[in-house]
Amino acid sequence: MKTAVYPGSFDPVTLGHLDIIERSARIVDELVVGVLNNSSKNPLFSVEERVNMLKEVTSHLPNVRVESFGGLLVDFAARCHADVVVRGLRAITDFEYELQISQTNRIMRPGLDTIFLTTDLEYAYLSSSIVREVAQYGGDISAFVPEAIAERVLGKFVGENSFGGPEHEQD
Ligand code: PNS
């Protein structure tokens, strides 16, 4: 049985993440989506919220489960009995950072390989930080995140701007 982990911050999960999850779930027997619980970052969503959103949008995928993790990815992968890490590559700008992490992880755990899936062209520009930025100003994020997630992201910024955000929709 081939188990892989797909780690990330997922703050929030985007359609690009979901595309990588769906495609890698077809390649491996079991995929564990690992949501990083990083106390040094100041995430928009708590780790519990991020895990729950991911569970919701992956509920149609029987071989995918979602967990949170803290500390090193190599230790999380070991706990999951995974010897593969999945990461998405959007552009050459991602490559240097991803190469460094995957090589560091292989030094720490030589049996752990990282496979990179090239992001679907439709989502090549997309990142969680872009979604947060657009949402902050009340922009339409329906092309960026799963339908069930958009309202929750915009809800985080209700009352924070004067750009016609969701709080003004009933005006
Ligand atoms: O979605 P992100 O924020 O690009 O994901 C980054 C992630 C979670 C893959 C990376 O930060 C990570 O693996 N963090 C856990 C700590 C660790 O093991 N770092 C790599 C060795 S330096």
Side-chain angles (χ1 to χ4, degrees):
M1 170 132 149
K2 181 61 70 188
T3 300
V5 294
Y6 177 43
S9 302
F10 305 107
D11 187 35
V13 58
T14 67
L15 287 171
H17 292 133
L18 191 55
D19 175 60
I20 297 288
I21 292 170
E22 285 173 343
R23 284 159 58 203
S24 46
R26 289 199 289 269
I27 297 171
V28 299
D29 299 307
E30 181 186 45
L31 183 73
V32 186
V33 180
V35 182
L36 182 66
N37 189 2
N38 185 348
S39 52
S40 68
K41 280 193 179 178
N42 187 17
L44 180 62
F45 289 97
S46 71
V47 71
E48 291 80 16
E49 289 175 312
R50 284 178 277 148
V51 165
N52 286 336
M53 287 190 289
L54 273 155
K55 281 186 176 168
E56 201 173 315
V57 300
T58 59
S59 61
H60 61 296
L61 300 168
N63 64 334
V64 174
R65 65 173 207 270
V66 186
E67 288 183 19
S68 63
F69 77 101
L72 288 175
L73 174 59
V74 288
D75 295 332
F76 176 63
R79 285 198 297 280
C80 296
H81 305 288
D83 48 18
V84 173
V85 173
V86 174
R87 291 284 286 170
L89 270 187
R90 287 167 301 190
I92 193 75
T93 42
D94 283 341
F95 182 73
E96 221 170 302
Y97 171 68
E98 295 296 338
L99 186 68
Q100 186 181 26
I101 290 194
S102 68
Q103 288 178 333
T104 307
N105 287 340
R106 258 178 68 77
I107 297 286
M108 291 190 285
R109 194 177 151 211
L112 189 65
D113 273 309
T114 303
I115 61 168
F116 296 103
L117 297 192
T118 51
T119 304
D120 191 297
L121 270 183
E122 198 181 343
Y123 308 122
Y125 65 93
L126 190 52
S127 67
S128 296
S129 55
I130 284 286
V131 172
R132 294 195 301 270
E133 173 86 11
V134 174
Q136 185 177 358
Y137 298 107
D140 180 4
I141 54 168
S142 58
F144 310 145
V145 296
E147 207 179 326
I149 305 304
E151 215 169 289
R152 264 172 273 178
V153 178
L154 291 171
K156 287 279 177 186
F157 297 103
V158 167
E160 267 196 26
N161 68 65
S162 55
F163 293 88
E167 74 274 28
H168 302 297
E169 278 177 4
Q170 292 165 348
D171 286 353

